[in-house]
Amino acid sequence: PPPQAPREFHLGMFEIGRPLGKGKFGRVYLAKERKNGFVCALKVLHKNELQKNKVEKQLRREIEIQSNLRHPNILQLYGHFHDSKRVFLILEFAGQGELYKMLQKAGRFSEPRAAEYIAQMAAALQYLHKKHVIHRDIKPENILVGIHGEIKLSDFGWSVHAPNSRRTTMCGTLDYLPPEMLNGSQYHSDKVDLWSLGVLTYEFLVGAAPFEDTPIETQKRIVKGDMKIPDFISPEAADLIRKLLVVKPDQRIPISDIMKHPWIVKHVTGRS
Ligand SMILES: COc1ccc(C(=O)Nc2ccccc2)cc1NC(=O)CCSc1ncnc(N)c1Br
């Protein structure tokens, strides 16, 4: 367990280790707190880059949202500090690293493994939605894996308090965007995370996203929910995917029913 959080953090408190990866807006290093030997991940963000991208407010909101989140499947933000040029985030270290690298290596996951991950994602989302937090950026790149193989949802760069209308433009892949965020409907709800969970389930089992195409074609297929489920996918898995990838947000299967879905129940041992 992390030490009693000291009032103030500063860079001198940490011994910096190997680079862990490049998150958006900054690099991340393995770090050890000198006094207690506590291992964490230290994310370095450059203030001028934050200003250039106009994301300081987003970061402040994120730090505020994260500071009262505590869940085994959500990467913890222990604290933050800054110096003249940089902002530092003290993050939980995920011992097995990045999920998307495992997916790339495996091509696609077995049904038991995918179901275990989706059950943990659903638990994390149920916790977030109860706190009226929408993640809005669920994709393999934002999922890390803990030392015991458990999922750690990370990088809440886009999280907001529901309901919300998106103000800043999006970057990165379109594959995970729900129809309601594409056809510019004024408001969207936590149901956007259910759609993304459907895309994630499909990608875990097939090894490619359901609407993958050229950007224009991807958008057309998303707003129509036009996807094909390969026949090597079990009927139960296909059933859950079809209940998540529903164009109308309110008709998507509620989170609480995901835990009871036959595909999840069949594979998930309930072992945490
Ligand atoms: C709760 O996790 C975050 C919370 C916030 C932000 C963030 O940058 N927000 C943000 C930045 C700029 C503007 C607006 C929001 C980022 C993360 N997370 C990360 O960046 C993940 C770093 S990679 C890594 N971390 C641990 N263990 C590993 N093995 C690895 Br690899």
Side-chain angles (χ1 to χ4, degrees):
Q4 290 312 317
R7 287 294 102 221
E8 290 300 309
F9 295 105
H10 58 83
L11 194 52
M13 291 166 83
F14 301 95
E15 188 184 328
I16 308 296
R18 67 180 172 91
L20 285 175
K22 256 179 70 55
K24 69 183 161 210
F25 302 117
R27 290 180 180 284
V28 187
Y29 300 88
L30 192 56
K32 184 157 74 171
E33 207 250 338
R34 291 186 200 281
K35 250 205 331 302
N36 323 59
F38 181 65
V39 172
C40 57
L42 200 64
K43 182 161 195 178
V44 187
L45 300 156
H46 292 270
K47 286 183 181 176
N48 57 13
E49 278 208 16
L50 294 173
Q51 274 138 21
K52 200 168 51 182
N53 293 280
K54 300 190 181 56
V55 289
E56 307 100 306
K57 227 180 20 276
Q58 207 179 314
L59 176 58
R60 251 193 288 283
R61 180 179 61 221
E62 168 153 351
I63 289 173
E64 180 247 320
I65 290 175
Q66 284 266 323
S67 49
N68 67 12
L69 294 181
R70 188 148 308 185
H71 187 279
N73 299 120
I74 293 177
L75 196 78
Q76 187 113 27
L77 173 66
Y78 294 122
H80 66 287
F81 59 94
H82 62 93
D83 63 17
S84 58
K85 289 192 171 40
R86 300 166 291 186
V87 177
F88 298 87
L89 302 183
I90 306 166
L91 301 168
E92 175 183 0
F93 168 58
Q96 289 192 33
E98 298 172 89
L99 185 73
Y100 86 90
K101 287 184 179 170
M102 295 180 175
L103 183 56
Q104 258 170 3
K105 190 157 172 279
R108 58 178 198 250
F109 293 143
S110 70
E111 299 220 353
R113 183 173 179 187
E116 185 71 43
Y117 288 158
I118 295 302
Q120 293 175 32
M121 284 297 292
L125 288 178
Q126 186 166 48
Y127 173 83
L128 286 176
H129 293 175
K130 271 211 179 73
K131 291 185 170 257
H132 306 296
V133 174
I134 317 174
H135 188 278
R136 290 203 314 174
D137 197 11
I138 290 167
K139 55 187 176 188
E141 291 77 3
N142 286 342
I143 300 174
L144 298 171
V145 185
I147 199 72
H148 304 297
E150 74 279 22
I151 285 287
K152 300 264 175 192
L153 186 50
S154 168
D155 212 342
F156 292 61
W158 289 91
S159 54
V160 287
H161 277 101
N164 189 284
S165 66
R166 179 175 37 77
R167 274 177 290 284
T168 35
T169 52
M170 284 144 322
C171 57
T173 169
L174 290 168
D175 280 326
Y176 278 76
L177 286 177
E180 63 269 28
M181 281 180 85
L182 280 175
N183 60 32
S185 66
Q186 178 60 10
Y187 283 94
H188 51 265
S189 67
D190 55 14
K191 307 282 187 290
V192 299
D193 289 339
L194 293 175
W195 175 277
S196 306
L197 191 64
V199 177
L200 193 71
T201 308
Y202 185 103
E203 183 159 0
F204 281 171
L205 292 171
V206 178
F211 308 103
E212 211 161 283
D213 211 312
T214 63
I216 306 280
E217 276 311 304
T218 298
Q219 294 192 52
K220 280 188 197 162
R221 294 181 56 198
I222 288 173
V223 295
K224 285 191 299 187
D226 159 26
M227 52 115 190
K228 279 178 216 40
I229 298 181
D231 48 24
F232 62 80
I233 302 290
S234 72
E236 297 85 0
D239 180 71
L240 179 57
I241 291 170
R242 280 198 197 89
K243 286 177 177 162
L244 287 166
L245 294 181
V246 176
V247 172
K248 283 195 176 0
D250 294 338
Q251 287 174 9
R252 289 169 201 155
I253 178 174
I255 285 257
S256 49
D257 291 355
I258 296 177
M259 315 299 204
K260 294 177 278 191
H261 188 279
W263 184 61
I264 298 291
V265 171
K266 182 166 101 180
H267 290 301
V268 177
T269 57
R271 194 189 50 234
S272 66

